[in-house]
Amino acid sequence: MTPRTTPSSDPDPQTPAESTQTGSTPAGSTPAVKKATAKKAAPAGKSTPARAVEKAVESMRRGAAKKAAPGAEAAETVAKKTAAKKAPVKAAAKRTAAKGAAAEKAVTKKAVTKAVAKKAPAQAAETPAPRKTTAKKAPAEKTVAEKAVAKKTASKEAVAKKTVAKKAVVKKTAAKKAVAKKAAVKKTAAEKPAAKKTATTEAAARKTAAKKTVARQATARTPAKAASGKGAAPATPSAGGAAGEKAGARKIPAQQAAQKKIPAQQAAEGTPGPGAPVTVAGSAALDAADRDRLLSGTHHDPHSVLGAHPVPGGVAFRAFRPYALSVTVAAGAVRAELHDDGDGFFTGLLPLRDVPRDYRLLVAYEGSVHETEDAYRFLPALGELDLHLIGEGRHEELWKALGAQPMTHQGVTGTRFTVWAPNARGVSLAGTFNYWDGTGFPLRSLGGTGVWELFVPGIGEGELYKFEITRPDGSKTLRADPMARRTEAPPDTSSIVCASAYEWGDAEWLERRGTPAPHEAPFSVYEVHLASWRPGLTYRQLAEQLPAYVKDLGFTHVELMPVAEHPFGGSWGYQVTGFYAPTARLGTPDDFRYLVDRLHQAGIGVLMDWVPAHFPRDDWALAEFDGRPLYEHEDPLRSAHPDWGTLEFDFGRREVRNFLVANAVYWCEEFHIDGLRVDAVASMLYLDYSREPGQWVPNEHGGRENLDAVAFLQEMNATVYRRNPGIVTIAEESTAWDGVTRPTHVTGPGGFGGLGFGLKWNMGWMHDSLEYMTKEPVHRRYHHDEMTFSMVYAYSENYVLPISHDEVVHGKRSLVSKMPGDWWQQRANLRAYLGFMWAHPGKQLLFMGQEFAQGAEWSEAHGPDWWLLDPAYGAEADHRGVRDLVRDLNTVYRHTPALWQRDTDPSGFRWVVGDAADDNVFAFLRYDAEGVPLLAVSNMSPVVREGYRLGVPEEVPAWHEVVNTDAARYGGGDVVNPEPVKPEPQSWHGCPASIRLTLPPLATVWLRPA
């Protein structure tokens, strides 16, 4: 038989390597130890084959005595311990030392006889090894005999027969794995069956070794070429699970191979030692199905195939790094370069018992090497409770479970990315950290909740990212994170990893917030569009100006038009795409926190417009997020908003409802917002809102009420009030829906529980009163009821009287410009109207710019016309006078409980005269909780009315004028009542006493008991 050559194996550090070669060895193929041992072997050409074997045995016996002596006793101890564990070894371990010695002689004799019988050429020992292969040995049969004898001599163990059997089958194609196997066998007295890590072709040898004391190596034939070729194709594992991966073994560069080794016992135990493996033991290539799913972005569980996994034969390492030149596993001192399987896949099987706890990947690209943790070695970073609550639609802190969350997971810092996309076939992560190619960063699906998750180590704050979603039809879409807490400034649309480090300073404000309740407290609101109030200012710059300005004017609250991120500035924020992110136009989320904090420290509450009714159709945002209707209703008749070209939320889907409820909680808790003004409530409540017959489908009761929206609003209000005492929710609702501000548990006449809002915008009052004020005074007598009708329903809800941004745009003209007459009359009408508004039951809201009688409509492009207050401007005094009036109205209002304490109590209001249409006069009394009154009188005609008699309570000895909108300092004609006015014992207007006043033209007068 022609002698076969086998791949050389690295020697055990404690056992001399066997070799019958002389001459040179290819670099990187045979370590220095082997070369030294080879020099000791006697030339085979000068003796018979039997003599050559004896000399080789003697040589190795001497080498073993020098190198293995220190570990002999330890090896014997390990052998005895492991003998009881392994059945194939147990019988051998029980043999006596004498039998072992006899077996040694028998094996030696048999090996020599066999070598002679086969007539192996003596010259084989002198033949230099070919340069294209690793170091090759003498004929296999002779080598086996020498190995067997050398092992007997070195170990001197009682289990020698079994040891010989094990050595006989160690015909491996991958050099490093062979070394690790021999080392483990020598140290543990053959405790591990070699069959576990041999190729399929070694099955017969393994079986024979388990039964006999000698090996039948004729059955263990592995072509040397299969192991020596670095790019050899991966072998397919056998049906029985034996590793066929050795044929695909791939080594890292020769210099590392010569320097980095691992003791066999350490390799078996999975513990990196001072020496490290340099060659993977075989291939761990993915099957075709997994490769295709990963490449197409449709794998639901990439963690099950990528990363490190224990498999028969060791630990399989798999990495998916498109564009990488190489990937090396590093665990302590271990360095093992994985095999390049193509398409960005790198795999390898390492002879380790356990998965290393803290291994890393060295990923080489053109000109650089990146060391990183393997994202696919981590357990899910989202807990079972979170998933359960998400599935139920009851996760009130959803922002802590979904989105990008910087964290430390399993001792490693990074960012957890999670997204809800139940219809997606696959989700990947794309960002600046992977050059916006998400192929190599697939997320895993967590059960049936529709949530996908990936913890990416080393990724922190400031990284840009999006989710690459594979739709049900296989197409892909790149989407911003619906839960992103920070975004790029428009027109850019990426999400940004963010974590807050802000330290609040508003503890005192929060402690007293809500005492008393908002509907029983002064509540005067200044509405602001932050981006245009002072164009160009950031959140932090606004924080230096806005609180001081609002405090100076005496407002109790500011209401911020939508702060959440929106792509189109012309929408003023009412078409939101980033529901959890303050707009990046003005700064970071912590910058916005700073603004809120400074307002609180100035004693000013912060309300925010919130838009849960609809969202825009941008293809990078929420619309058909995962390829199918998800956040929007699946019925096109329900999803499309007819007025704004947007999409309505599906309030009947629990996850969508959870998304919105948690969002309301988020703004209140993360940004200390004191209240939410909910936009477009009417469009949510009615199925037929702005729809013609045939364009809507009735509810289950045949009605037009959107029962899903009702349930959502009730849940939102109940949750926000429960979690954040002292806050207030305000509904922009323009219909007569019953119970908007009634508690959710109280059922009304319509059979519905209340919606649970704290306050409601009185849109009816706003429309009616403005309609009256736009009329010429001579015609107002015919519209008198438009100013009085609001008192018919004033106590049906808890109202806010709004003069908002909607009333001063799109051709409606500014507030002062709505008024009839010349410039003097316009300003007088405006002042009289503001005085009437502040005295009317309900809270007040005034949009920016109206406080100083801006003549032009508001524009988001340039904001209020602040130049009107420049002293250099000729009419500056006119505008300053109106602003001074607003300041005084707020000051008196805050210090007069009769104007706010019983806003929702009918006993706090009484008409004095409400039917003086011919005079254009309105007079009424307001009472506080103690019964102390305030008298408000408005003369909406341009004439002075001298000695105008009004009925008053007799118990008030005198009345003192506290506000007169016609005062000279406000720009009026200064027709005032400077002295206290005493009542006369003449009944009037149903009162036992009366007073006579001078009513200035186009003015409102407030009087309090002197």
Side-chain angles (χ1 to χ4, degrees), residues 204-222:
R206 181 172 67 252
K207 185 174 181 181
T208 304
K211 295 180 179 180
K212 299 184 179 182
T213 60
V214 293
R216 309 295 191 196
Q217 293 204 10
T219 62
R221 300 174 183 270
T222 306

Side-chain angles (χ1 to χ4, degrees), residues 126 217 273 344 447 640 711 781 813 836 955 964 992:
E126 298 177 342
Q217 293 204 10
R781 68 179 64 186
R813 297 174 294 175
F836 175 83
E955 62 270 16
N964 186 325

Side-chain angles (χ1 to χ4, degrees), residues 235 473 542:
D473 63 1
L542 285 166

Side-chain angles (χ1 to χ4, degrees), residues 142-155:
K142 178 185 289 187
T143 305
V144 172
E146 292 174 349
K147 289 181 180 180
V149 175
K151 183 167 293 299
K152 298 295 182 176
T153 303
S155 62

